[in-house]
Every structure is written in C-alpha cells, then in structure tokens.
Amino acid sequence: MSDSLKSPYAMEVISGAAVESQHMGFGLTVWQLDETPDDSPSTPRAIEPLSEDWLRLVASRGYVGIVLVTAPISENLVSLAGDLNIPIVSVDSPQVPPRGVRELGATNWRGGKDATGYLFSLGHRRIAFVSGPPRSVPSQDRMQGYLSAYQIADVAVDDKLIVEGGFTFESGFTAGRQLFTLPRSQWPTAVFAASDQSALGVIEAARATGLRVPRDLSVIGFDDTLMAWSSSPQLTTVRQPIRQLGALSIRTLSDARKGIDTGGALQLTTELIVRGTTAPMPEPM
C-alpha cells in the first residue's frame, strides 16, 4: 500500500519488496491511496484502501500482511488488523505509527545533519531548508538534523530560509521562487531539500532566476533515486537504502506472521553522496 505510485521513492521501495516477495515465494498486490475514483453510474465503486471493508477483504483473501509505504493509518484500523491477525509494517511513515505497527525507515536526522554540515564545510553560511509536507515525520527529522548542523557550526538560523515544500518537483520550484523573492543580500548560497524531486525543483527555480548550479548555488537532495544521478549536473544527495527497506519490509512481515518479535522502529543508515550540484561558497559579488 502506497500513498502514491507517482513517487520515485515509493516505486523503488515497491521494487525491493517485489524482488524479496518473489524470493520468498509470496505474491505482491499493490494499492495506492491517491487514485481518483470514477464516479460515473456505470462504474462500480471499488472498496477504499485502508477502510474497514478493505481490511476485511485483505483478511478474507489470506494475505500475509500489509506494508504501508509513506501512508498513514488510524489506531482503529490497527486494532482491527490485530483482531484479524494481519500484521502491518510501515516504511517511512508520515506520522508516528500507532502501537502495533512495525516501523522501518532511515536515519533521517543523521542525513539532515550530514548534508547541512557538508555545506558548512564548503564555507556556506546561508543554507536554506526546503521541507516535505508539514506533518511528515521523516521531513521533521531531516529538519532537526539541519538545525543541529547549524548549532554545531555555531551559526544563527534565519527562519526565512526554512520553506515548506511537499517532496515534489513543483513544491521545490515554488519554494525556490519564494527564497529568491527575498532581498538579494538575504538569498541562500546553498539549499538542502528534503527529497530529490524538490531539490530538482529548487534547481529549476534557480536557473529561472539566472543562477548557475553549483557555481552560484549549491543544492543537496535526499533519497538518491534514479533522478538524482540522471540529472544534469548530477545531484548531490543523501542516499537512503530504499530497495533494502522494501526487501526488509517483506522479511519483517513474514517474521511477524510467524509470531517472531521484530522489536520497535528500525532505521537503516543514510550516506551523503557528493556529485555535481555542490561547490565551495561563491566569492562575494
């Protein structure tokens, strides 16, 4: 179950889950939450994913369990899933998962700190952060890492450099335009974006403003999806082991179905991947 199949991140998680499912002899069915229903009279309405009827349907068809990819779930549904003996694993949950959900993710705080700290090491002092959705726990953790790097560098944070985004190219572009409407003396010289897609949106906004990346502006993303190394210049980013998360979600689900206690939240290590969108602080104009 994914919140959207349009997300490169979600598709890589699903790819890892599919390979592991095949290896373990499981079938994999994918639902998404953001499908627009066809309300024409001739089209029968499908059961809404993550509804009680949907959960009972899953139980009746003998599924091993449910993997949520960046998708929220209510406490009531988790309780019903427990009654139906359906284990749930959440990958990169946008919320603090209810008790009973096994949580998988990456070291988002560390990734945010490493990305911002690297920009400080290049001499940058006005580093912006483009967040994900406001309630996203991974985005909040990345921002806390960003703020920690500022604290370590003993540099005051300018709140105008923290801009809300949405993990999409469009939101990154909008955030970039917002940053470049500030007085020129207040522009950032570097941006850490909470996803690769939003980082590329920031880069496009910079180009539209007449800035060159990385000569005038350094940009770092998060995820290391296909678009990070296929962009021009290639995107410096924080790599999280996305396919491994997908594979681990299937193994965790299988263990849970067998009654094996897999413990609480598990975080896989992130790694900063330096490519072509970062450079030392530009000389004053």
Side-chain angles (χ1 to χ4, degrees):
M1 165 67 62
S2 172
D3 68 329
S4 174
L5 298 183
K6 299 174 184 176
S7 162
Y9 169 84
M11 291 307 298
E12 289 202 32
V13 173
I14 292 169
S15 177
V19 170
E20 188 65 21
S21 295
Q22 184 176 354
H23 176 74
M24 298 184 71
F26 297 147
L28 183 70
T29 303
V30 179
W31 282 272
Q32 68 171 343
L33 289 176
D34 67 346
E35 288 181 305
T36 302
D38 186 344
D39 292 328
S40 61
S42 61
T43 304
R45 291 185 62 83
I47 296 177
E48 183 180 356
L50 292 184
S51 65
E52 289 192 12
D53 288 343
W54 177 85
L55 201 59
R56 294 183 188 282
L57 177 67
V58 168
S60 70
R61 292 184 177 178
Y63 283 98
V64 173
I66 298 169
V67 174
L68 302 174
V69 182
T70 66
I73 190 169
S74 69
E75 291 187 7
N76 289 340
L77 281 182
V78 172
S79 178
L80 177 58
D83 294 341
L84 296 172
N85 193 31
I86 303 174
I88 299 174
V89 174
S90 179
V91 178
D92 228 357
S93 176
Q95 66 185 90
V96 177
R99 186 178 181 84
V101 175
R102 292 154 180 85
E103 183 181 1
L104 304 179
T107 52
N108 291 297
W109 177 87
R110 171 182 167 175
K113 180 182 73 68
D114 289 350
T116 311
Y118 177 67
L119 292 170
F120 275 120
S121 76
L122 293 175
H124 297 278
R125 290 299 180 268
R126 290 190 59 77
I127 303 169
F129 176 67
V130 175
S131 76
R135 295 185 180 180
S136 166
V137 172
S139 174
Q140 292 172 9
D141 288 345
R142 292 165 199 176
M143 184 173 72
Q144 289 305 314
Y146 161 86
L147 295 173
S148 294
Y150 259 91
Q151 189 172 30
I152 292 169
D154 196 23
V155 175
V157 179
D158 183 347
D159 291 340
K160 293 189 292 294
L161 297 183
I162 300 176
V163 183
E164 184 179 311
F167 290 152
T168 65
F169 179 92
E170 293 79 10
S171 66
F173 181 83
T174 299
R177 297 291 280 185
Q178 180 177 334
L179 288 168
F180 301 130
T181 59
L182 294 170
R184 193 175 183 91
S185 62
Q186 298 179 23
W187 284 5
T189 62
V191 177
F192 166 45
S195 76
D196 291 344
Q197 291 188 85
S198 56
L200 293 177
V202 169
I203 290 173
E204 188 57 33
R207 287 172 176 161
T209 309
L211 299 177
R212 295 158 294 181
V213 175
R215 180 171 176 176
D216 303 317
L217 181 77
S218 289
V219 180
I220 296 181
F222 202 107
D223 288 334
D224 198 27
T225 52
L226 169 64
M227 59 177 53
W229 56 266
S230 61
S231 64
S232 181
Q234 291 184 327
L235 182 66
T236 297
T237 189
V238 177
R239 173 184 291 164
Q240 54 175 329
I242 306 176
R243 293 197 177 202
Q244 292 93 317
L245 282 170
L248 182 60
S249 71
I250 300 301
R251 295 195 295 271
T252 302
L253 204 62
S254 177
D255 288 344
R257 191 60 185 247
K258 296 173 184 176
I260 300 173
D261 185 5
T262 55
L266 178 62
Q267 293 185 327
L268 301 187
T269 302
T270 53
E271 177 186 5
L272 179 64
I273 305 298
V274 177
R275 296 195 179 100
T277 58
T278 46
M281 165 77 179
E283 294 294 330
M285 296 182 64

